[in-house]
Amino acid sequence: MTENGQHEHHEQHGPHAPHAPHGPHAPQAPQGPTASGAIARRSLIATGAATALTLGTVSFANAAPGGTAGGGRPDETRVVRGTLPPGAPDFVYLPVEVPHGVRELAVSYAYEKASVPAGTQNNALDIGIFDERGTALGGAGFRGWSGGARTEFFLRADDATPGYLRGPVRAGTWHIALGPYTVAPQGLPYTVTVTLKYGAAGTTPAPVYPPPRAKGRGRAWYRGDCHLHSVHSDGGRTPAEIAALARAAGLDFINTSEHNTTSGHRAWQGLWGDDLLIMTGEEITTRNGHVVALGTEPGRFVDWRYRARDNRFGHFAREVRAAGGLVVPAHPHATCVGCGWKFGFGDADAVEVWNGPYTPDDEVTLLEWDNSLVVSARSGRPWLPAMGNSDAHRDPDRVGGPQTVVLADDLSTRAIQAGLKAGRSYVAESAALSLSFGVSGARGAHAGIGERLRAAPDELVTARLEVTGAPGCTVAFVTDQGTVYSVALPASGTGTASWQTTAARAAYIRAEVRHAPTTPTFPGPMAALTNPIFLTPAP
C-alpha cells in the first residue's frame, strides 16, 4: 500500500503563534509561510500488528543545544498539513524531534469532513502520542490517547490532559499517532500543530492509586459496574461524579475502563471508601472489537494496535492476565464501526452479554452465549460466565444500569474477580431488583448460581427462583432445550417460581426475568438474568 497524500510544514515562533482551528469540521490549516512538497520520508512498516505509516519528521531547527534548560525562550510551533487517502493504514505516525530544555509539549489537530453519499462512512481521525522510547507494540513509549474525543492535548512533568500521562518531556524523537478510523472516498485532509514550551521540567507527583480492598460485609453478594467512561477518554463525567452516581445506584464496586489509556487510574484519590471498591482497568479498543481489562494493576497499559487477522489477541489476553486482570469482550454484537467482536472467545474469562439499556444487540449476544453453554455442557469444556455493565459515558446514561451482582468472599479486587470468573453472579437492571436462584436434588444436594449439581439421571431436581423488585415481569427457566417454563410474577414484583426436571433432560438451568414485550414477536426487555447451574448425571 502506498500513501499518496501531501503534507506541508510551516513554522511560527513566539508565545502568540496561533494554533490550528479546533474541531472535526475545521476546513483550513493556520496561515503563514509554507513550504509545499512530497512527504520527506515515506515508509510503510509492519509493527508486528496492523500496518503503520511513518511521515516525514517535524524538527525544531532553532532548538537549544543539548543540556540547555531553555528558560526564557519563546514557544515554538510547527504545523503539518496533509491528506490521507482511502485505504490508509490503521496508524500513521508523525515523528517530532524534541530538543533538550522543553517543559511542555502541546498538540492540536483538525480534519475535514467530506460530502459523502448516503451509507458511506465519513472521515474520522483519532489521535495519541508516544514518547522518545518509541512506538513498538507493547507500549513502552505510550504517553496517551484520546481517540476522537479531543482536538488538543498537552503533557508536562506535573500535569497532562486527561487521557495522557504526565511526566517529563525528554529529548528525542516523539511520535504523534494518528488513527484514520474511517476515510471518505475523497481522502482525509488533516492539520496537526505542535508547540514546544521551554523551561525547567518540574517534578512529577507520585501517583496515588485506589486500594485493592474495601471493608465490605465478608462473604456476600456485591453489586458492581465494570464498564464506565470518564473525561479520561470519551466520557463526559469526572471521576468524582461517577463515584457519587455509583453510590447512589447502590454499587459496591466499579472498574475504570477508559479507551486505550491508563491515565484515569490515578484520578480517584479520595473517592474510594469502606463502601466502594474502585478497580482499575482499560477498555482495549481495537478495530475488530472492544475488550474490558478488568482489575489490572494500576498504571499497567495494554496495547490495542492490532486486528483479528494479526493473530495477536492471545498474546495481549495473556498480558491482561499477567497484569492481574480478567479478559471480558464488551458488547460483542454492537453495530458501531469497529465494535463487533472478531477475535473469538477462546481467550476470554467472561463476556459482557448486556451493555447499557437492553437492545436487540444484547439479545443476539445472549443467544450466542447460551449456545456456547450447550457446547460446554456436551463437551465438558470450560464455560464462559456472563456479566452486564452500563458502559455509561454521560447524562442520561445510568451508572449501574445494568449491574453484575457477584458472590464474593470479601470486597476486594481478587475476590470479586474470582466470583466473576467462576460465574457466581447474576445481572440486574438496578439495585431495586434482587433474586435468589438454586437447584436442589431429591437426595438433599444443592447448587447455586455458577455451580454444578450431581444427580442420578432420573432423579427429580427442583429449580427455585425468588425475585423482588420486578413489577410487571415474567420469570422463565432456560435449559439447553430452550425456554422450558415461564410464569408471571405478582403485580408487586415479588414472588417465587419453581420447576422440576432431571439431569437426563436438562444439562443446565438458568433464569431470566423480563418485562412485558414492547415489540410483537420479540421477547420483552431483560430485567435480570443468571449464570447457569449445571446438572451432571451421577452413576
Side-chain angles (χ1 to χ4, degrees), residues 227 283 289-290 329-334 336 339-341 352 355 362 365 391:
H227 189 167
E283 184 174 4
H290 303 184
H331 46 65
H333 289 281
C336 47
C339 292
W341 185 250
E352 187 182 74
N355 175 276
D362 301 306
T365 303
D391 198 2

Side-chain angles (χ1 to χ4, degrees), residues 137-162:
L137 197 64
F142 175 78
R143 288 294 294 271
W145 181 258
S146 50
R150 298 183 184 277
T151 58
E152 57 186 351
F153 62 86
F154 75 89
L155 305 95
R156 62 175 186 257
D158 64 339
D159 200 6
T161 300

Side-chain angles (χ1 to χ4, degrees), residues 84 122 132 169 176 206-207 217 269 272 381 385 391 394 407 441 478:
L84 298 175
N122 211 326
E132 83 288 349
V169 182
I176 296 169
R217 304 180 299 277
Q269 187 172 0
W272 57 79
R381 293 199 296 264
D391 198 2
R394 58 185 55 82
L407 179 61
V478 183

Side-chain angles (χ1 to χ4, degrees), residues 3 45 71 92 135 140 166 249 253 390 416 443 507 537:
E3 200 276 357
I45 60 173
V92 177
T135 62
R166 61 193 180 191
F253 65 91
S390 72
I416 294 297
R443 301 173 184 175

